[in-house]
Amino acid sequence: MEMVREAGEVKTTCPYCGVGCGVLAKIGADGSVSVRGDPEHPANFGRLCSKGSALAETIGAEGRLLHPEIHGRRADWDEALDLVASKFSETIAEHGPDSVALYVSGQLLTEDYYVANKLMKGFVGSANIDTNSRLCMASSVAGHRRAFGSDTVPGTYEDLELADLVVLVGSNLAWCHPVLYQRIAAAKAARPAMRVVLVDPRRTMTADIADLHLPVRADGDIALFNGLLAHLAQAGAIDHAYAETHTTGLDEAIAAAGAPDLAAIAEAAGIDGAALAEFFALFAATERTVTVYSQGVNQSSVGTDKVNAIINCHLATGRIGRPGIGPFSVTGQPNAMGGREVGGLANMLAAHMDIENPVHRDRVRRFWQAPNVAIRPGLKAVDMFRAVADGRVKALWIMATNPVDSLPEGDAVEAAIAACPFVVVSEVEGETDTLRHAHVKLPAAAWGEKDGTVTNSERRISRQRPFLRAPGEARPDWWIIGEVAKRMGFGAAFAYDSPAEIFAEHAALSAFENAGERDFDIGAHEHLDRQSYQNLKPFQWPAPAGGDMGDTRFFGDGGYFTPDRKARFVAIRSVAPDRTGAAFPLVLNTGRVRDHWHTMTRTARSQRLSQHLAEPFAELHPADAARHGIRDADVVRVASSAGYILVRALLSSRQREGAVFVPMHWTDQFASGARVDRLVPALTDPSSGQPASKHVPVAIERFQAAAYGFAVLASRPETIDAEYWAVARCAEGWRVELAFTDAARDWTLFADTLFGASSSAESLSYHDLSGGQRRYACFEGDRLVGALFLDREPVAAPRNWAVEQLAARHEGRRARLSIMAARPGQGVVDRGATVCSCFGIGANQIAAAAANGCATVEAIGKVLQAGTNCGSCRAEIRGIVDAHRLQAAE
């Protein structure tokens, strides 16, 4: 593999969120890999979040899918590819092109995406290719296209730093896009007059930099921004010159927004009237305003209308396309934008062309010399798997995604995949909840092995470069797809020798017959050779041949991509659906946590990323918990009309009363029953097809546990005989949380089975029958094989201390008895729950430093280093320092 090296480092791009941070990867003399932020990359300027900082811990061959498999047996590539091609060809011949489908991913590189889309829409003749990006940003795409005539993000990251007001809507930047959060935080520190408003049902860690928090009710965003539009009209804040010159439909949008009745708007949005008035006045008075929105807006049955309600306010004030000004959609995946560019969504063609437009279809047909260009949109994600379930789709190829764990009605999706006549899965990992149903498993290259490009949220294209050889027989996705295409008889169109050729073709198509009527144009790179591709530096599009290659914004002077080149206001009627009732009285909101990503196939490999939040949980307001008889750390049953899950209760006043937050990450690989997607109904936005993952009516009750347990183990057991369990990797082993309905079992046998120790191992046990406590430990020589702590109540044993015992030497009786005591011995410090993953600093250490006079986050950083690397934990550190200050003042 060719590589670009500077001082022994390879310049590449982070594979997590849509910020698109530059990474420098280095292989040491001993073969170890280290990573750091690229100080020259314009997305992050050297910053990395906790996940990016731990990338080196997530690579390696352990647990990888290393060879092709057919029906569970190892096969060679020729046999596997021949079977895939023949099955797809036979299915198409017998049942037509719409009987096959591809479900792909924002984890693919643009080159992979391009080849997959070309195969389906140009040569198979079906648009049945959709992507998991449908689940995170499809409503933004639909809103952009309705308003601008194109899927265009108008601004740049620099605008977040130049703005005088940043409005964050449904976006927990501190945890989900931490580097952007740090850029805003740094700008605010440099310009204290800068204001930040957070619109979110939860008081997330992002509220740490917010001057105002508006805890909007589920789907109350339309009422909020329609109310803002009405207020702008009443306050005389409309830029009529811009609206008349560059837009249409303003009067209709204002009429649809309704009267500027503050009390009615506050009631519909679920926000205090005084806070609402403050926000309206601030927005009206601040010219340089950026509104950042993410999944809280998009993942809704009215997500597209939310997007347009936000855009309407910016169009009405002319606040778009200039420095420090504009609506800004931040994407969740590293290449969701690249997928949009190549037409990875079922309702789009390549290069931002429209599948419904016969001129566009003919243009693509001629460029690709394609015999069978799709003539209508294909099945969007939710509809695609319905078609798999009812037999319309008979051959399915899933790439780089885990739909069993991410799509709504996950149990129904799993049943559909299990019943499908032919399923192919291209995957990195050897075990996932989706892969177990594949007839053919194809080993794909992973980050660090892949070679291609990604596009971030500000339209910046960056290279992902390989610095490791792919293990086993893993291959790049573009190669796998191309080989299948050749075997289906399309060889001439897929005769690629490198990703550089694919990217050059992608660039050429973007410029083909494009006289400025399409936003996406990277024609400057259509003649790129391999060396130029290897050396390609990050750049923003558009980058037309002979054009300016500098940073760009759109629409400051109009120039929209509609037929009359004017933006469209969209008249939105205020709706705030309430789906709760007597049976399901609470609203479930799903989302991400700080240190995990998607379904944990990458982050769960890192022990430090697994320590911050080591098990699935339901965040509840204390008042809701009290009403349902739930205490902090109870295991709870969360149920919807579609199913139920078991998770840990986490009580927090940051949560809006009447709502529940459950993270999306835990799968059957890491917990006994925590796949939250099984609770989410397949309710989608009618325009975008995006599921409503943040407004699910649920009921919650305490799980009737007869016993709770916690264990640390040197090796992971194959099975765990418990009604509730959750495992997480830790230093030197695994940690396990447990709950049981039956306390009258043979606990010694359970412990022995859990530990998996040899017959020569030494065991210790302690039973307090009156108190219900039991403790077991097992040693091989002076090393701890496993320790199990049981109690009638949630086990209070300090987790980090227990984890550290796996790496410690236990030579004497005193050391071993401390484990039986379930607490550190004299002089041993319990770090407490992990707060700073980068340096392994716990809450107890931070509290102790605060008690010793560290009164600021900066002071804590100087003493403990906590918060000085990625900064993702700074809000939590501040919370501990503030809590100590309040306690000291009492």
Side-chain angles (χ1 to χ4, degrees), residues 424-673:
V424 183
V425 177
S426 298
E427 180 55 73
V428 168
E429 290 298 306
E431 292 184 26
T432 75
D433 294 350
T434 298
L435 186 66
R436 60 194 177 199
H437 300 294
H439 300 102
V440 178
K441 302 175 183 179
L442 302 178
W447 182 83
E449 305 151 13
K450 301 175 75 167
D451 192 6
T453 57
V454 292
T455 306
N456 73 0
S457 296
E458 64 166 352
R459 297 175 277 105
R460 191 175 300 279
I461 296 174
S462 300
R463 290 277 281 113
Q464 269 196 21
R465 295 183 175 91
F467 53 89
L468 296 169
R469 289 191 178 278
E473 296 181 86
R475 296 289 185 270
D477 290 286
W478 66 264
W479 180 89
I480 299 171
I481 302 161
E483 288 298 310
V484 170
K486 292 174 186 177
R487 287 163 168 81
M488 293 178 71
F490 310 130
F494 293 87
Y496 303 115
D497 290 326
S498 74
E501 294 176 53
I502 303 168
F503 184 81
E505 183 180 311
H506 169 53
L509 177 55
S510 77
F512 185 57
E513 297 179 358
N514 187 356
E517 77 277 9
R518 303 197 308 273
D519 61 339
F520 180 66
D521 185 345
I522 56 170
H525 301 289
E526 66 177 290
H527 301 298
L528 210 65
D529 59 22
R530 288 195 186 190
Q531 191 57 51
S532 298
Y533 180 73
Q534 291 301 326
N535 295 330
L536 186 66
K537 294 182 178 180
F539 71 94
Q540 274 191 307
W541 62 260
D548 181 14
M549 297 289 285
D551 289 356
T552 57
R553 296 175 176 86
F554 281 89
F555 310 139
D557 296 317
Y560 294 91
F561 295 96
T562 55
D564 61 5
R565 307 295 290 202
K566 291 186 176 184
R568 303 289 191 258
F569 280 91
V570 179
I572 306 294
R573 300 287 177 184
S574 291
V575 293
D578 184 1
R579 302 189 179 109
T580 59
F584 301 105
L586 301 174
V587 172
L588 170 66
N589 171 15
T590 68
R592 294 176 178 164
V593 299
R594 191 189 76 190
D595 289 356
H596 275 309
W597 173 254
H598 282 199
T599 59
M600 294 166 53
T601 50
R602 180 181 288 117
T603 52
R605 288 173 163 265
S606 166
Q607 58 88 11
R608 66 165 151 148
L609 293 181
S610 299
Q611 299 312 298
H612 179 239
L613 292 167
E615 65 179 318
F617 63 90
E619 186 179 83
L620 292 165
H621 191 278
D624 287 322
R627 275 191 287 271
H628 291 84
I630 294 168
R631 299 164 301 176
D632 201 26
D634 280 345
V635 172
V636 294
R637 184 179 188 271
V638 185
S640 75
S641 60
Y644 74 90
I645 59 174
L646 296 177
V647 292
R648 187 77 68 173
L650 175 62
L651 274 54
S652 173
S653 59
R654 287 178 171 269
Q655 178 62 272
R656 181 187 173 95
E657 200 167 338
V660 184
F661 174 82
V662 177
M664 60 175 280
H665 309 291
W666 274 266
T667 70
D668 289 347
Q669 308 298 314
F670 300 101
S672 55

Side-chain angles (χ1 to χ4, degrees), residues 139 187 197 358 381 528 674 714 752 840 871 874:
S139 293
V197 175
L528 210 65
D752 289 344
R874 289 172 64 86

Side-chain angles (χ1 to χ4, degrees), residues 175-192:
W175 280 16
C176 300
H177 301 91
V179 168
L180 289 188
Y181 172 83
Q182 291 302 326
R183 289 184 64 166
I184 295 171
K188 196 173 191 309
R191 291 191 297 118

